[in-house]
Amino acid sequence: MNIIKSDKAHYVLDENNNRIAEITYVESDKSMIIIDHTFVDESLRGQGIASKLVASVVEEMKKQNKKIVPLCPFAKSEFDRVPEYQSMLK
């Protein structure tokens, strides 16, 4: 699975270049982003892809020295579940 990173999303494409999984976020200020949406196509659910997308954003924001506000319910549950993410919370 190849996660593609853009300015406001990390996503996965199918063979027809359609987004089949994505996590989106907005920059709140220069030091913080807000994760506002996570989606995984029904055909891929149960494979841990949404968790990998959250991890991808966390990794990228660590590199950029930005904190995260997980407003999306799935992202919030991941932050609650994964102790290593706590240091990234705003």
Side-chain angles (χ1 to χ4, degrees), residues 44-80:
L44 300 174
R45 291 190 185 158
Q47 299 179 35
I49 293 172
S51 295
K52 290 176 185 174
L53 289 168
V54 172
S56 177
V57 171
V58 169
E59 180 182 316
E60 184 64 28
M61 293 308 120
K62 278 184 184 176
K63 291 177 188 173
Q64 295 183 29
N65 199 30
K66 292 184 180 182
K67 297 291 184 178
I68 300 171
V69 175
L71 284 186
C72 161
F74 180 82
K76 174 150 182 18
S77 71
E78 284 293 287
F79 273 78
D80 291 344

Side-chain angles (χ1 to χ4, degrees), residues 1 5 13 18 21 49 58 60 71 80 82 86 88:
M1 179 186 68
K5 300 173 186 177
L13 298 176
N18 297 310
I49 293 172
V58 169
E60 184 64 28
L71 284 186
D80 291 344
V82 181
Q86 295 303 303
M88 296 299 295

Side-chain angles (χ1 to χ4, degrees), residues 5-11 25-27 33 61 64 66:
K5 300 173 186 177
S6 70
D7 288 346
K8 299 193 186 324
H10 291 199
Y11 55 93
Y25 52 89
V26 294
E27 190 173 78
I33 66 155
M61 293 308 120
Q64 295 183 29
K66 292 184 180 182

